[in-house]
Amino acid sequence: MSGGIQWSDMIALFERAEESYEDVGSLYDSLMKGMVPMSRYFGVAKVEVHVSIRPNPYYPNGMNFHYETRFLDGQDPYSRGYMAVNHFGNGTVKLLLFPVTGRTWDDEDKIQMEVFSKIITTIMNRGALNQSIVKATRTDPLTGLPNTMGVRIFHRQLAEKEVLQDYTGIFCNLKSFKLVNQEMGSEMGDQLLKAFGRKIREQIDPSCEQVARLGGDNFFITVQTKHLDVMLRMIPETSVDVEQSGALVKVPILSRAGIYSGGKNEDPESLISFAAMTLERGRRDRSSDVFYFRKELVEQIMVEKKYTMELPVALQKEELIPFFQPKIDINTEQSLGAEALVRWNHNGKEILTPSEFLPALEREARLIQEVDIYMLRQVCKYIRRWLDMGIDPGRISVNYSRQNLRNPDIVDITFSILDENEIDGRYIEIELTETTDLTEMAPLSHFIASMHERGIHVSMDDFGTGYSSVSLLENLDFNVVKLDRSFMTRISNKEKKVEIIIRNVVKMLNELGVQVIAEGVETREQLDMVKKAGVDVVQGFLFEKPLPPKEFEAWMKQQ
């Protein structure tokens, strides 16, 4: 045998095949190339390999492969040949060898074939196992859809075929899905995610298009641009069937999407990164749920990154300044206090408003928290100054992002700043922003109760922008609610229903013992409208713009 076949060479071929294969099929093809010398030596006419892998999370029905290769003509159809069955922890591999007509394998041949079969079956089993592992790295375990890595691989394949320019990427986010989990339970939430993924997949061509789940409530759809309109008809609203209490129920799903279409010589990463960027920027605009990429976005993102890098130094140099916008009693037109709004004296050259640099910090929880704490400290210093001068500034509200509620020390930090400046809690109001996105009630409830113990008021910002607002009022003890400024815009647009809405909202809040503030009041028409609706306190350019500390101090003296 050693004179007819070099086993070391053949095994080396097998090892190279195992190192370079892409899937079980390509592994089998490579192994068969290495078997050519053996087939000639032993007179093997045909090889069959059967691979059976037990069900697993990524192949719920298991895997079954059948391959066969004919090496030489003249197989004896009645020959039983040689069969080896090897059982592994994850499944079984069966190898069958059939001799050419007239060839009989003796015991020594079969001993060598046994060694050979163990090598082949072991490699094939490892190949199937590795294919499962590879799929696991590219697949979302909940929905069975590709994950982020699966998307990137698909995009690279499209780029290699030079067709990426014919595709559009859709970064899709399900709206208020955290609230769905809270209201309906995580099991129902999982059902909705799987049903949504299936519904999208039914609308695409799986042979050349893809829907993936990137995690949480985010999906990514890669479609041929000519099919984009079909997808957009499902966004921003569709419905899916899920099982509830043993019956199928139809549940509506709202979503928003960022859209980016590829171009020639496009980087495969561009579809997902630019679509994600588009959605992130678009979410700040409540006028639509579908956002298209614009070239200016790249420049805006670069500016925001620059601000994010510069902000820590700006905090050290105290370049951030509180501007104070008075809150006015409608009936007396006297000041009841003010809201402290951050401004950035950027390098001493320009004053930046919050809309120019705060959005850049949305994913920088630590920086957002540092800015909020910095502002509270600055405000307390000014209040101390004014009290020492004999000026009562009223209650000053300071914005806290919801990110602060994730800081277990936020209550102690807040109290320590007041104590450092010897400020009584009646001079401070904490205005919680982004409250419509809050789903963890326990830390919020604890924070509000702790503030009340020190006489600090807590207000809800942007009331009316989400259906969660009423739910929050039902479960939490806010002192103040600020009507979203979009109500003022609707008054200016002569929307007839807005007066009825505001009047009933204010009535409900007053009955709950909650003070109502209308912000963004800029015209007499708006003032008359909210006054008629029962609002007692307003804030807006009609009375005064946000003032720097010295100007606000002078304004208070006049008052």
Side-chain angles (χ1 to χ4, degrees):
M1 179 190 70
S2 59
I5 182 170
Q6 295 297 322
W7 283 93
S8 59
D9 292 344
M10 190 169 69
I11 290 173
L13 285 172
F14 291 164
E15 290 175 345
R16 286 198 294 273
E18 190 174 15
E19 291 173 358
S20 61
Y21 77 97
E22 295 182 0
D23 53 36
V24 175
S26 62
L27 174 61
Y28 172 82
D29 291 339
S30 297
L31 291 175
M32 291 305 102
K33 290 177 182 177
M35 271 194 63
V36 172
M38 177 192 168
S39 67
R40 292 171 181 164
Y41 181 79
F42 286 107
V44 177
K46 188 176 77 167
V47 173
E48 290 186 16
V49 175
H50 302 264
V51 182
S52 178
I53 302 299
R54 295 188 183 92
N56 60 63
Y58 300 97
Y59 291 97
N61 299 318
M63 292 190 293
N64 290 282
F65 306 98
H66 171 75
Y67 305 103
E68 61 178 66
T69 300
R70 182 175 294 278
F71 289 106
L72 303 170
D73 293 330
Q75 175 195 343
D76 184 350
Y78 303 104
S79 174
R80 294 181 59 186
Y82 174 83
M83 180 175 73
V85 179
N86 280 339
H87 299 280
F88 301 92
N90 62 316
T92 302
V93 180
K94 181 167 63 174
L95 173 72
L96 295 97
L97 303 175
F98 298 90
V100 295
T101 303
R103 179 66 183 264
T104 301
W105 293 326
D106 59 25
D107 291 340
E108 184 180 349
D109 290 335
K110 291 179 180 179
I111 290 172
Q112 296 173 59
M113 287 183 182
E114 182 179 358
V115 174
F116 164 77
S117 67
K118 285 182 179 179
I119 296 172
I120 291 290
T121 55
T122 300
I123 292 176
M124 288 297 293
N125 177 72
R126 282 207 300 254
L129 178 61
N130 287 340
Q131 184 166 319
S132 294
I133 294 172
V134 168
K135 186 169 184 181
T137 65
R138 303 175 183 182
T139 304
D140 170 50
L142 176 65
T143 62
L145 298 172
N147 58 15
T148 303
M149 181 179 290
V151 175
R152 287 176 171 150
I153 290 171
F154 182 59
H155 289 178
R156 286 200 294 270
Q157 292 169 346
L158 294 177
E160 289 168 1
K161 295 175 183 176
E162 299 184 349
V163 295
L164 191 61
Q165 67 272 14
D166 299 328
Y167 284 77
T168 291
I170 307 171
F171 197 112
C172 183
N173 170 257
L174 307 189
K175 297 171 68 175
S176 303
F177 198 75
K178 290 181 181 178
L179 293 170
V180 171
N181 277 328
Q182 184 180 14
E183 298 289 333
M184 304 177 70
S186 59
E187 186 175 340
M188 177 60 73
D190 289 348
Q191 278 199 60
L192 288 173
L193 290 171
K194 289 189 280 190
F196 181 77
R198 284 195 302 269
K199 184 155 190 178
I200 295 295
R201 199 170 190 277
E202 290 169 359
Q203 304 299 317
I204 66 172
D205 181 352
S207 67
C208 59
E209 298 175 326
Q210 185 191 68
V211 55
R213 179 176 176 241
L214 306 185
D217 50 11
N218 295 316
F219 290 79
F220 195 86
I221 309 163
T222 308
V223 295
Q224 291 177 302
T225 303
K226 62 184 179 182
H227 298 154
L228 178 60
D229 289 345
V230 175
M231 283 294 100
L232 295 185
R233 283 198 288 271
M234 297 183 64
I235 302 170
E237 184 173 359
T238 188
S239 62
V240 297
D241 293 326
V242 295
E243 185 176 336
Q244 189 174 36
S245 301
L248 282 180
V249 294
K250 197 171 288 292
V251 179
I253 291 184
L254 305 180
S255 57
R256 54 175 76 87
I259 313 293
Y260 178 76
S261 297
K264 286 188 176 181
N265 302 316
E266 193 80 64
D267 184 331
E269 296 289 329
S270 296
L271 246 61
I272 191 168
S273 60
F274 284 142
M277 179 194 304
T278 302
L279 176 60
E280 181 181 347
R281 295 288 301 186
R283 290 178 70 165
R284 303 172 195 171
D285 178 7
R286 297 173 182 165
S287 63
S288 176
D289 287 317
V290 177
F291 313 100
Y292 293 88
F293 175 81
R294 305 187 317 275
K295 289 184 178 179
E296 310 89 78
L297 285 180
V298 178
E299 182 178 346
Q300 292 171 5
I301 294 296
M302 296 302 294
V303 171
E304 288 184 354
K305 286 184 177 179
K306 175 175 175 286
Y307 288 156
T308 301
M309 295 175 63
E310 293 177 344
L311 194 59
V313 176
L315 289 170
Q316 293 177 0
K317 295 169 66 176
E318 296 192 351
E319 291 182 354
L320 270 61
I321 305 167
F323 275 43
F324 299 88
Q325 185 171 38
K327 299 175 184 177
I328 305 297
D329 184 313
I330 284 183
N331 299 308
T332 64
E333 297 197 359
Q334 295 297 306
S335 172
L336 298 175
E339 178 181 2
L341 300 163
V342 64
R343 298 290 187 271
W344 185 354
N345 184 8
H346 189 244
N347 297 324
K349 298 178 181 179
E350 57 180 338
I351 300 295
L352 301 178
T353 62
S355 62
E356 294 177 274
F357 65 91
L358 283 186
L361 309 183
E362 285 184 350
R363 297 186 180 275
E364 301 287 342
R366 180 184 57 81
L367 278 178
I368 282 283
Q369 293 175 26
E370 288 182 11
V371 169
D372 290 347
I373 296 304
Y374 170 93
M375 283 292 291
L376 177 64
R377 184 169 278 112
Q378 293 297 313
V379 165
C380 285
K381 287 180 180 178
Y382 281 111
I383 292 175
R384 181 72 266 157
R385 165 186 164 85
W386 295 327
L387 291 175
D388 291 344
M389 293 172 61
I391 300 173
D392 187 338
R395 195 180 291 272
I396 307 296
S397 62
V398 179
N399 290 299
Y400 266 22
S401 164
R402 72 175 185 273
Q403 303 285 358
N404 284 292
L405 299 179
R406 297 170 183 166
N407 181 354
D409 300 321
I410 188 60
V411 171
D412 292 338
I413 292 171
T414 302
F415 290 168
S416 66
I417 293 173
L418 268 67
D419 293 339
E420 289 169 10
N421 294 277
E422 299 180 350
I423 302 298
D424 190 280
R426 67 189 176 93
Y427 290 106
I428 295 293
E429 177 180 308
I430 301 297
E431 188 170 314
L432 292 173
T433 61
E434 307 148 323
T435 48
T436 54
D437 290 331
L438 287 168
T439 56
E440 298 180 3
M441 303 294 283
L444 178 56
S445 179
H446 170 71
F447 178 82
I448 293 175
S450 300
M451 295 301 106
H452 287 170
E453 289 176 4
R454 286 288 297 262
I456 299 171
H457 278 190
V458 181
S459 61
M460 179 197 297
D461 193 24
D462 297 335
F463 182 84
T465 59
Y467 69 84
S468 62
S469 298
V470 175
S471 176
L472 287 169
L473 281 178
E474 180 183 356
N475 294 286
L476 300 166
D477 189 17
F478 286 98
N479 303 99
V480 181
V481 159
K482 299 187 77 172
L483 295 179
D484 184 63
R485 61 179 63 247
S486 64
F487 283 121
M488 300 304 108
T489 303
R490 292 164 68 186
I491 290 173
S492 299
N493 292 340
K494 311 289 185 182
E495 294 187 26
K496 296 180 180 180
K497 294 181 181 179
V498 71
E499 180 179 352
I500 299 172
I501 294 172
I502 294 177
R503 186 170 64 248
N504 283 279
V505 166
V506 173
K507 180 182 178 182
M508 175 190 70
L509 293 171
N510 286 338
E511 289 179 355
L512 291 172
V514 179
Q515 184 185 63
V516 182
I517 298 179
E519 59 180 343
V521 177
E522 299 180 358
T523 68
R524 279 287 167 185
E525 178 188 18
Q526 293 170 342
L527 178 65
D528 293 342
M529 172 74 232
V530 296
K531 185 175 182 178
K532 186 178 178 182
V535 175
D536 294 322
V537 183
V538 295
Q539 180 183 337
F541 275 55
L542 179 63
F543 291 96
E544 194 55 79
K545 64 182 181 180
L547 301 169
K550 286 186 178 180
E551 291 184 29
F552 181 63
E553 184 177 306
W555 185 88
M556 287 191 294
K557 289 178 179 178
Q558 292 178 353
Q559 287 284 305

